[in-house]
Amino acid sequence: MSRGRAGRKLTLAVGLALLASLVAPGSSAVAAANGAEYVRAKAVVLPATTGPATPSIAADRFWELQLNLCNSGIAGCYSQGRSIPEAAGLISQVRPNLVTLNEICANDVPDRLAPALAQAWPGDRIYHVFNPAVRRDTGTPVKCNNGQDYGNAVLGRVSAASYQGVNAWRGKYTSQDSGNEQRTFACAYAVGDHLACATHLSASSEPEALAQCRSLLFDVVPSIRSAEGLVGKTIVGGDFNLEYDTADPENAQKCVPSGHIRKGDGDVQHVVFSNDNAFVSTTRYGMTHTDHDGFLVRLTKP
């Protein structure tokens, strides 16, 4: 793995143009933070559904499931799309409040994963926000081998009683490694309930991965919270391509701001959350059709 920092940054004008090309019509409020550019976007919110009664849970229970599903069709861990129904089954089983997703194709969420979460929470509101990775050479979305855009997504649930709408943000790091796949993030603010972001950081340079992680956690997230008038209730999950290792200059703990807590899967997946969410426990779920475990972090929130 390369340890050298690529250090190649897009100019602000080029970066904003690329972002504008990737957001839906009507997106606005282009912003820049240290090491990233991002814009307001539109979340997809499913109509409330009906279904069989599900077991009741404590109102303050908040569970986050992190999944890297290796569904591009290009990487060696690809399993002919079978990671998606496997993940849908895990979502139905676990009933998380939030799912952060990496290495998926654009239709994986609306076709399989969002319906699984909706079936787990009949009557509540389910939202999702997808953001593709970007090709360095063309400035266009990276594609799965099926032709769909490839990237990250936030998939979440808000109780019917608490639902006040969902605001979305999508962005790209200006600091990238020298590869053609440029890394991005997706964020969603469920108004009055929580802010959640998903990201997949550089795989070829740990210094770049740490720089991207710090940009998101130290700059982008506080800026979005300020724009939304939110204090606390924040969760960021993803494949950081960083390990927790106090002897490593690129220790994952170095991208955890004050007032936040990090929990990892023992490898490169992490969930960072504001400490107004109380930590309960974690569970790793072995996955047959991807090379990463499903990583569940159980929280309670005020």
Side-chain angles (χ1 to χ4, degrees), residues 58 60-63 274 276-280 298-302:
D60 63 350
R61 174 252 215 213
F62 194 93
W63 291 6
S274 54
D276 55 340
N277 299 280
F279 172 69
V280 178
R298 298 179 184 86
L299 306 172
T300 60
K301 64 184 179 68

Side-chain angles (χ1 to χ4, degrees), residues 46 54-55 57 61 63-69 82-102 104 108-122 126-128 153-157 285-287 293-296:
L46 277 61
T54 55
I57 61 165
R61 174 252 215 213
W63 291 6
E64 142 71 343
L65 179 63
Q66 160 59 28
L67 296 170
N68 181 324
L69 297 180
R82 289 174 288 188
S83 66
I84 303 306
E86 182 180 23
L90 183 59
I91 289 169
S92 297
Q93 171 192 337
V94 171
R95 298 181 66 208
N97 299 66
L98 174 69
V99 188
T100 48
L101 294 155
N102 309 131
I104 59 169
D108 293 339
V109 179
D111 287 355
R112 295 298 299 268
L113 303 179
L117 192 61
Q119 290 168 8
W121 296 103
I126 306 302
Y127 71 83
H128 54 91
V154 176
L155 168 63
R157 164 255 178 183
Y285 295 89
M287 305 285 284
D293 289 342
F295 180 51
L296 180 69

Side-chain angles (χ1 to χ4, degrees), residues 15 67 169 214 236:
L67 296 170
W169 299 79
R214 289 180 62 85
V236 176

Side-chain angles (χ1 to χ4, degrees), residues 19 22-23 129-133 150-153 169-172 184-186:
L19 282 171
L22 294 175
V23 297
V129 180
F130 173 84
N131 193 23
Y150 161 87
N152 308 297
W169 299 79
R170 303 198 294 181
K172 182 177 70 66
T184 63
F185 54 88

